[in-house]
Amino acid sequence: MTTDHHTEDVTAETEPRQPFAHLSAPNAALYREVLMTFARARDRFIVHMRPEDVVVDLGRPGDTAEVVAALDKLVEWGNLRADPDTSRVTTVEDFHRARYLYQLTAAGQAAEQAIAVYEEAIGRRGSLQSVALADIAAQLRSLADMAQVPDLDPAKVHLLLLALAERFAGLADNAQAFMASLRRVIDFADGDVDAFVAYKQRLIDYINRFIADLANRGAEIATVLGQIESAGVERLLLVAARREAADAVPDLPEEGETADAYDAAVTGSLNDWRNRWRGLRDWFVSADSRHPSQARLLRGAAVTAITQLIDTVAAFNERRSGRSDRSADFRTLARWFAEAPDDGAAHALWRAAFGLTPARHLTVTSDTVAEWEQEQPAPNTPWREAPPVRISPQLRKTGSYERRGRPNRVADRADQRQLLAAQAAREAAETGAARARLRTDGPVLLSELGTLDTRAFRLFLGLLGDALSARSPGDTEVRTTTSDGTMEIRLSLVPGGETVVIPTEDGELRGPQHLVEIVDLTAARRGRGAVA
């Protein structure tokens, strides 16, 4: 009996498994229900199930034979394994009657997990998770604190890295699913248009909030990532890899073979953690202008999606308002002609609509005007019976016409030029005064700038915008020059600085404390010219 059982196991292992065959079988719905019953039992830590247990769980008290046939078929495909059930044998007849305990095989369990992942991915709508950004930032700050400790706690480091990897994977997967579902929403063509228009505004507000959170949290995360890498991220990843290798190879590396297995497990786990860390870094930190971070690409895709949503709503509104084409435009124009109060208004409408004014080179002579005034043809006079327009024979030959009499006087625009020059001088003086007001003698705190007038405040906002746009994620100092080359600003973040308020004539500007140095390059050039 033992030999036969061993032969049966070997045969089952050598036969090709088909754990996905039940999906295309005629009775696929029943097979799926049976396998989901075993999956739920596994979640309750139940390994084996008898046919009557499966029947009760399915709620099919009268379908025992059908359920048993489905179980046998799933055993044939390799999803389940059947073991003889001898626990309730009391007689010889019971022993010879076929009774089995069923459990999921490794292939069947893998197939169930794959199907669950597939169904989840197909049905997922996704979301942009601002909370996940905050969690990732908090976990990275904790990891940065750990990186400063000489003696690392392997359990704390490993658990924190696992939580960080799980949160980041969820954020990336949900963002990808959200953008895909948003694409389906934008491509929406049929259905309840009013519901879509109402949903559009909530969606745009939601995306705008996420874009703002991503810009703020993304810069913070990029900064903390740089701090961890400076402190030595490889040490943290190695600690986690060794702890995972201890689970993969639980025996201590005493023999050579075991030591090699342990080292291989450490190397494999370390490579996995390096790849995860690289993915996290690439998501929040741009390598260069040609390789932007995934967060920046996501922001751009979200902004583009807002524009596309607005265009979609405009298309819906145009569709609801009626078709707009040339025939509809001409019907509207005809109605305007019919509603014109008099002939003068109709002629003005004609000129505005079609622009068929006389050609500039067909100059009307005084003889033609006199003839028209004398005859005064009716509006319905045919063209061939109307008085002709007499043109110069020279115009017919060469296409040019020389007007007789005195030429037009040249317009004197001295007053206008003087006015423009005075306005340009006034604006230059105001800009120069604003530059002089903002110029600093060395680095100063933002809170020490004092009250700014309107012109100086606008110039300062431009300088601040140029500096912030030139700063890369993780940088605490930036130096840039304005596009016209007149001013230079150097901006440095003050660690632990509080929020400062800069009073202006137009209101108050609030922001984090910085050291700022503003140089007026025009004054420097004038100084060098005077010395020369």
Side-chain angles (χ1 to χ4, degrees):
M1 181 179 296
T2 306
T3 304
D4 294 340
H5 181 68
H6 177 71
T7 305
E8 183 178 332
D9 289 344
V10 173
T11 304
E13 291 177 358
T14 56
E15 289 181 354
R17 295 186 178 92
Q18 298 176 325
F20 295 99
H22 67 282
L23 296 175
S24 57
N27 208 8
L30 176 59
Y31 296 137
R32 290 296 307 130
E33 291 180 9
V34 170
L35 288 175
M36 290 175 66
T37 297
F38 279 89
R40 290 193 295 268
R42 183 197 61 210
D43 295 338
R44 299 194 301 269
F45 305 103
I46 298 175
V47 179
H48 296 88
M49 293 187 71
R50 296 183 175 88
E52 53 267 28
D53 298 332
V54 178
V55 170
V56 171
D57 194 87
L58 290 176
R60 297 184 174 208
D63 298 338
T64 303
E66 186 179 3
V67 172
V68 171
L71 290 170
D72 294 338
K73 200 66 179 175
L74 290 170
V75 171
E76 179 183 342
W77 285 326
N79 297 81
L80 299 177
R81 191 182 76 184
D83 298 320
D85 182 10
T86 60
S87 60
R88 295 183 298 174
V89 173
T90 57
T91 64
V92 176
E93 290 78 7
D94 290 339
F95 182 80
H96 290 290
R97 185 180 299 118
R99 295 175 181 271
Y100 293 100
L101 291 172
Y102 296 90
Q103 73 175 80
L104 277 173
T105 63
Q109 183 174 345
E112 284 303 298
Q113 292 174 349
I115 294 172
V117 171
Y118 173 79
E119 291 176 346
E120 180 184 0
I122 291 299
R124 176 186 293 174
R125 295 185 59 185
S127 59
L128 298 176
Q129 301 169 305
S130 297
V131 177
L133 291 171
D135 292 345
I136 291 173
Q139 290 164 347
L140 284 174
R141 286 194 297 269
S142 300
L143 200 61
D145 295 338
M146 287 186 182
Q148 306 298 329
V149 179
D151 298 328
L152 296 176
D153 187 335
K156 291 183 179 179
V157 172
H158 187 210
L159 291 177
L160 188 55
L161 283 174
L162 286 174
L164 177 63
E166 181 181 2
R167 205 70 174 109
F168 170 66
L171 170 67
D173 293 343
N174 277 282
Q176 182 179 3
F178 177 81
M179 296 311 297
S181 63
L182 184 60
R183 180 69 263 173
R184 293 193 293 270
V185 170
I186 295 173
D187 290 340
F188 164 79
D190 300 320
D192 191 350
V193 177
D194 294 331
F196 173 79
V197 173
Y199 168 70
K200 175 265 306 179
Q201 188 57 50
R202 295 196 301 271
L203 184 61
I204 290 178
D205 294 340
Y206 171 66
I207 296 176
N208 280 331
R209 288 196 303 271
F210 177 78
I211 292 174
D213 291 339
L214 185 59
N216 296 329
R217 294 290 184 183
E220 179 185 358
I221 290 173
T223 302
V224 180
L225 284 171
Q227 294 174 357
I228 295 174
E229 291 179 348
S230 299
V233 67
E234 188 74 11
R235 188 167 63 108
L236 301 173
L237 302 183
L238 183 59
V239 167
R242 287 175 176 170
R243 194 164 189 266
E244 289 183 351
D247 286 339
V249 186
D251 297 333
L252 293 177
E254 298 176 355
E255 302 296 334
E257 183 178 354
T258 310
D260 293 340
Y262 177 78
D263 293 340
V266 171
T267 302
S269 180
L270 182 59
N271 289 334
D272 291 341
W273 278 112
R274 286 171 178 167
N275 188 52
R276 293 171 192 165
W277 186 264
R278 179 182 176 184
L280 179 63
R281 192 181 191 283
D282 291 344
W283 222 85
F284 290 101
V285 181
S286 299
D288 49 47
S289 58
R290 292 179 299 176
H291 301 87
S293 64
Q294 293 298 316
R296 179 171 295 183
L297 293 176
L298 180 60
R299 289 200 305 269
V303 173
T304 303
I306 292 177
T307 305
Q308 292 173 343
L309 277 171
I310 295 174
D311 293 341
T312 303
V313 173
F316 284 150
N317 291 334
E318 183 178 352
R319 186 187 306 172
R320 284 193 300 183
S321 62
R323 183 184 176 190
S324 178
D325 54 14
R326 185 173 298 179
S327 60
D329 294 341
F330 277 127
R331 286 194 296 270
T332 302
L333 185 61
R335 185 174 69 253
W336 289 352
F337 272 113
E339 295 173 354
D342 50 34
D343 290 344
H347 288 303
L349 179 60
W350 170 271
R351 288 192 296 271
F354 299 102
L356 297 179
T357 55
R360 295 167 63 186
H361 65 275
L362 296 178
T363 305
V364 178
T365 62
S366 57
D367 296 338
T368 301
V369 174
E371 190 171 355
W372 284 356
E373 291 177 353
Q374 182 178 357
E375 297 186 9
Q376 293 182 354
N380 57 353
T381 302
W383 284 100
R384 63 170 177 253
E385 299 177 6
V389 177
R390 308 183 188 278
I391 62 176
S392 170
Q394 185 72 13
L395 176 62
R396 297 183 62 182
K397 281 185 177 183
T398 63
S400 61
Y401 173 73
E402 183 178 354
R403 180 180 176 184
R404 296 179 181 179
R406 298 176 58 186
N408 292 332
R409 297 181 59 184
V410 177
D412 185 8
R413 305 190 184 277
D415 294 340
Q416 289 87 340
R417 285 195 295 270
Q418 185 177 2
L419 179 62
L420 290 176
Q423 183 177 356
R426 183 176 65 255
E427 291 179 353
E430 292 176 353
T431 304
R435 285 199 300 266
R437 167 65 181 83
L438 292 177
R439 185 178 60 209
T440 63
D441 297 328
V444 298
L445 293 173
L446 280 179
S447 55
E448 298 175 357
L449 288 179
T451 303
L452 301 178
D453 56 27
T454 301
R455 176 71 66 172
F457 178 55
R458 291 180 181 176
L459 182 59
F460 176 70
L461 281 182
L463 285 169
L464 196 60
D466 291 341
L468 294 178
S469 62
R471 185 171 64 183
S472 301
D475 293 344
T476 57
E477 297 182 2
V478 65
R479 174 177 178 176
T480 186
T481 306
T482 57
S483 58
D484 58 0
T486 58
M487 302 197 77
E488 180 183 73
I489 180 171
R490 301 162 190 167
L491 199 64
S492 302
L493 181 64
V494 176
E498 71 282 359
T499 301
V500 299
V501 179
I502 302 176
T504 72
E505 294 181 354
D506 299 324
E508 294 181 345
L509 176 65
R510 298 174 181 269
Q513 183 69 280
H514 281 74
L515 276 175
V516 61
E517 182 178 2
I518 301 175
V519 180
D520 186 358
L521 299 178
T522 59
R525 285 196 290 267
R526 287 196 302 270
R528 287 195 299 268
V531 172

